[in-house]
Amino acid sequence: MQSQNLLFIFKDRKSVTLNHDFWVDKFKNKFNVFTLFLNDKIQLSNNEIILKINNFILKEDISTILLEGDHAHIIDDEFIKKISSNVKKGIFLGDDMVWHLVNLITAQQCDFVFTSEPISSYKFQELGVKSLFVPVEANGKIFKERNLKKIYDVLHFGRNKTIRSDYLNYLLDNNVKVKIVSPYDEEANTVEKLAKLISQSKIVINFEKSSNGNRAFNPLKLFKHFYQTKGRIQMSGISNVLCVSEYSPSSEILYPQELPFFETKEECLKKIKFYLDNETEFNEATKRFNLKSLEYEDSRYITKVENFINKIKRKNDTDRFKPPIWYKYLFINQTFRLRLKHKCFMSFFKEFLSKLYCLKDYSFPKNILIFFITILLFIRYLPFIIIKKIINFSQDK
């Protein structure tokens, strides 16, 4: 059977965490994949970008389009609505815990949602949005059994954070040999280098606690932290390396019996020492964890993703949902801010005129509120983009 053509629309090209590569490589197992990075086209207006997307859909016979969600950019409900109705539309998410309310509104113009959190997926389903958990970092061509000598007892990779440091220092103080690397270190600044380090380790330690955002639209902003599953788990398991992880409910859904959890520094130390000191139990736990993790490996899991997409039916009732004013403010602000950041003088003014023209699509008094928001944000950014234009003109001379 001929593969379907699928278009990924990413916001920008990441320089450190290359998640766009993980998404593309995952879907190449079953689809013909095309990509577009919006920041490469930001010199155009949103409508001009959408026109290019629709022309590309027609030219390449695209059947499904996947747009990057989270973190406000220019992909809002209006942007998605204007994309051809002849394709299935979905958004894919990595930070839904903080951005869930925004993503939920954007998803009303989509046919489905992919999330890297099983609990987030259930939240969308609760409100009638078709959704599926899809792990991100599960590329079996990169993370795999390499049969390398184990030279590290415990490996931690990721950004340095205070809570993580407290745990790691506690392990070090109790004579546990921990190898610590960040994505900015030379020895771990590519996924290939990281995969080698994982395979050279007996145990990977994983932390699930994340800092909550204080954005006005986040109803959980009064809580400082939340717990979410991390890609380190699949990266380790697919590599046939045991992971000992801080507890989170999402990880327990994925690994109901196969992933050793801890909730305190003392419990973390106890479990790690147990596995390092007991070879039989260590080998058995690693085998169980590896077998379960392979269920999420790209070349296997993509069949579940393909079947999910094939069952999706395109929506035809998206006009019934009207987003709130704060949502409109968020994206109007972002479309101006991005043009300022990238010094796109012409598309800045085109967006201003476009937003005024679109007021006719809103009823009173919403159109009046959006009018004032547009004027306010235009005036806010106008002096700065003029200054940048003058500086660029002077430098060109």
Side-chain angles (χ1 to χ4, degrees):
M1 188 174 70
Q2 187 176 2
S3 299
Q4 300 177 53
N5 294 342
L6 182 145
L7 174 62
F8 269 106
I9 297 184
F10 297 99
K11 295 169 186 172
D12 54 11
R13 301 174 189 272
K14 303 292 189 298
S15 58
V16 178
T17 307
L18 305 180
N19 280 349
H20 53 268
D21 288 341
F22 283 120
W23 281 106
V24 170
D25 290 343
K26 183 190 307 293
F27 277 77
K28 279 183 177 179
N29 284 292
K30 285 287 186 178
F31 298 85
N32 298 318
V33 179
F34 300 85
T35 60
L36 185 149
F37 293 87
L38 290 176
N39 280 5
D40 293 348
K41 307 290 183 183
I42 209 69
Q43 75 278 7
L44 303 175
S45 69
N46 289 1
N47 285 335
E48 289 171 333
I49 294 172
I50 292 166
L51 180 60
K52 283 189 172 293
I53 291 171
N54 286 337
N55 288 339
F56 190 87
I57 288 171
L58 189 62
K59 177 185 175 183
E60 300 295 341
D61 192 25
I62 302 295
S63 61
T64 303
I65 186 168
L66 279 168
L67 304 102
E68 186 177 1
D70 301 325
H71 306 281
H73 196 268
I74 63 173
I75 303 174
D76 64 351
D77 66 314
E78 287 295 326
F79 188 96
I80 296 174
K81 183 179 179 180
K82 291 177 181 177
I83 292 174
S84 172
S85 59
N86 295 322
V87 295
K88 296 178 181 179
K89 306 174 190 178
I91 55 172
F92 58 97
L93 311 171
D95 292 315
D96 185 60
M97 186 68 180
V98 174
W99 290 86
H100 182 70
L101 194 54
V102 174
N103 292 330
L104 186 59
I105 294 170
T106 304
Q108 301 307 309
Q109 292 294 338
C110 297
D111 302 306
F112 63 93
V113 174
F114 289 147
T115 79
S116 60
E117 274 275 320
I119 289 179
S120 287
S121 180
Y122 292 142
K123 288 179 182 177
F124 284 101
Q125 293 176 42
E126 281 180 337
L127 291 174
V129 179
K130 302 293 185 182
S131 180
L132 179 70
F133 161 73
V134 179
V136 182
E137 300 100 335
N139 189 333
K141 296 175 183 177
I142 299 173
F143 304 106
K144 58 187 176 182
E145 171 64 77
R146 295 171 180 262
N147 296 312
L148 298 177
K149 182 180 178 181
K150 303 295 185 181
I151 59 178
Y152 308 114
D153 284 345
V154 177
L155 172 69
H156 176 260
F157 56 92
R159 293 177 173 84
N160 293 324
K161 297 181 180 180
T162 303
I163 298 172
R164 294 177 182 177
S165 297
D166 289 345
Y167 272 79
L168 297 173
N169 289 334
Y170 183 75
L171 294 177
L172 291 167
D173 291 342
N174 283 275
N175 302 315
V176 176
K177 297 177 183 178
V178 185
K179 174 72 172 177
I180 302 171
V181 294
S182 82
Y184 307 102
D185 294 334
E186 177 65 28
E187 62 183 327
N189 61 4
T190 68
V191 290
E192 290 77 17
K193 291 178 182 179
L194 182 57
K196 181 179 178 181
L197 286 172
I198 292 172
S199 292
Q200 291 175 316
S201 305
K202 294 178 182 178
I203 295 173
V204 167
I205 185 170
N206 174 58
F207 298 101
E208 306 274 62
K209 183 180 286 187
S210 298
S211 296
N212 211 342
N214 59 1
R215 296 177 179 273
F217 55 74
N218 179 11
L220 302 177
K221 63 180 181 293
L222 69 159
F223 301 102
K224 290 185 178 180
H225 302 102
F226 60 90
Y227 296 84
Q228 64 176 357
T229 191
K230 305 289 186 179
R232 287 184 206 90
I233 298 173
Q234 279 83 44
M235 294 160 79
S236 306
I238 294 169
S239 301
N240 197 24
V241 174
L242 182 63
C243 180
V244 175
S245 176
E246 185 174 24
Y247 176 80
S248 80
S250 281
S251 292
E252 187 178 37
I253 289 172
L254 300 176
Y255 295 89
Q257 297 178 340
E258 300 83 4
L259 178 61
F261 289 112
F262 61 84
E263 296 191 44
T264 66
K265 290 186 291 187
E266 293 76 16
E267 190 177 4
C268 175
L269 174 65
K270 182 179 178 180
K271 292 209 171 183
I272 287 176
K273 281 201 166 186
F274 172 80
Y275 287 117
L276 291 177
D277 294 339
N278 296 276
E279 184 176 358
T280 300
E281 286 82 358
F282 170 75
N283 290 334
E284 289 177 354
T286 302
K287 183 178 179 180
R288 286 195 304 271
F289 179 58
N290 171 246
L291 289 174
K292 185 63 177 179
S293 296
L294 288 174
E295 295 179 12
Y296 304 113
E297 191 272 328
D298 284 352
S299 64
R300 303 185 188 194
Y301 201 82
I302 194 64
T303 299
K304 184 173 184 176
V305 174
E306 182 185 38
N307 291 338
F308 174 86
I309 291 176
N310 288 341
K311 292 178 182 177
I312 291 293
K313 292 182 172 56
R314 295 196 298 269
K315 287 184 179 179
N316 56 14
D317 59 349
T318 54
D319 283 334
R320 291 192 295 178
F321 189 86
K322 303 299 180 184
I325 285 294
W326 64 261
Y327 179 90
K328 303 304 295 184
Y329 177 93
L330 181 67
F331 283 95
I332 294 172
N333 178 68
Q334 191 67 357
T335 196
F336 286 139
R337 193 189 71 81
L338 282 168
R339 268 70 187 201
L340 169 65
K341 179 181 177 181
H342 293 275
K343 305 173 186 177
C344 297
F345 195 75
M346 289 303 298
S347 62
F348 178 86
F349 281 93
K350 286 180 180 178
E351 279 304 304
F352 173 64
L353 296 175
S354 174
K355 294 292 184 289
L356 293 181
Y357 179 76
C358 288
L359 291 173
K360 62 181 179 58
D361 298 330
Y362 301 97
S363 59
F364 181 84
K366 198 169 192 177
N367 55 358
I368 300 299
L369 290 171
I370 294 176
F371 171 79
F372 281 113
I373 288 171
T374 303
I375 295 294
L376 175 66
L377 292 173
F378 177 76
I379 294 172
R380 173 185 175 185
Y381 290 115
L382 180 60
F384 298 102
I385 199 166
I386 290 174
I387 291 170
K388 284 194 174 188
K389 186 69 174 177
I390 293 172
I391 292 173
N392 283 350
F393 182 75
S394 301
Q395 290 174 343
D396 291 341
K397 284 185 137 183

